Amino acid sequence: LEVNEQQTFSNEEHLRIVMSTRDLEESYFARRTQDYTDAIGAIEESQDILATIFSGAGSFVEISKVTKKMLQHAINIKATAQYAPVLSALAQLAVKERQVDESALERVAQLLETLKKNIKTAFDDFGTSNADAVEAFNEQKERLDGQLARLATQEEKLID
């Protein structure tokens, strides 16, 4: 009976740790999901600004504002290396402002599109890894619940 109680306690403690870990992972996933969503939104905002500049209606001041946002998002999702070429190109546009030609705008547009694809891919990969973690959690929880049920049954028999 004592061994059974120790095993029950041990399994219950393990289950508490597993549940706590999953809660932390779930919170992390929610934060990172928001970071990726915001990062993609800032890239799309940059694309919109670039399109208005291309049409002659936009302002280069807007580029510097969105560049700050993009840098913060790059840091949040740990993708500064991927953002570097785009941020550099946007900074060059802002400096040249009136002397920007169409090819420079097109180059930045291509860089933004590539960056957006890469960030979406990273976000998809992150989602897949979270789904794998949830599956592993469910399997582990099911196994622990089964062990606890078996131990409860054994305890009832030992008491009788």
Side-chain angles (χ1 to χ4, degrees):
L1 183 63
E2 188 177 322
V3 170
N4 196 12
E5 288 173 347
Q6 288 174 345
Q7 287 178 340
T8 298
F9 175 79
S10 176
N11 278 290
E12 286 171 343
E13 186 60 26
H14 189 196
L15 183 59
R16 275 191 288 281
I17 291 168
V18 166
M19 298 293 287
S20 175
T21 300
R22 182 63 207 143
D23 288 345
L24 291 172
E25 287 175 350
E26 195 171 45
S27 174
Y28 175 74
F29 179 74
R31 280 192 319 273
R32 287 296 296 248
T33 295
Q34 188 61 54
D35 289 340
Y36 274 110
T37 302
D38 291 347
I40 292 167
I43 293 168
E44 290 171 345
E45 184 179 349
S46 296
Q47 290 174 312
D48 292 345
I49 291 168
L50 199 61
T52 60
I53 289 171
F54 197 76
S55 71
S59 163
F60 284 89
V61 172
E62 295 175 69
I63 284 183
S64 66
K65 289 179 189 173
V66 80
T67 300
K68 282 183 186 178
K69 273 197 229 178
M70 287 178 61
L71 178 58
Q72 185 58 55
H73 296 307
I75 291 167
N76 290 350
I77 63 172
K78 297 171 179 48
T80 52
Q82 289 180 304
Y83 274 76
V86 174
L87 295 174
S88 174
L90 287 171
Q92 288 173 10
L93 282 182
V95 168
K96 292 181 182 175
E97 196 165 333
R98 297 193 195 316
Q99 300 129 4
V100 173
D101 60 15
E102 259 184 51
S103 67
L105 291 172
E106 287 171 3
R107 180 176 163 271
V108 173
Q110 288 172 338
L111 287 171
L112 282 167
E113 190 57 36
T114 300
L115 176 63
K116 186 169 135 181
K117 275 188 212 161
N118 291 341
I119 298 306
K120 282 185 173 186
T121 298
F123 185 31
D124 290 345
D125 292 348
F126 178 68
T128 299
S129 85
N130 182 65
D132 292 345
V134 168
E135 185 178 332
F137 161 77
N138 288 336
E139 289 170 2
Q140 190 172 29
K141 185 178 181 310
E142 186 177 313
R143 183 178 49 79
L144 287 168
D145 285 342
Q147 288 174 342
L148 286 168
R150 182 182 50 78
L151 288 167
T153 302
Q154 282 179 349
E155 187 173 335
E156 285 176 19
K157 289 179 182 177
L158 288 171
I159 292 174
D160 291 339

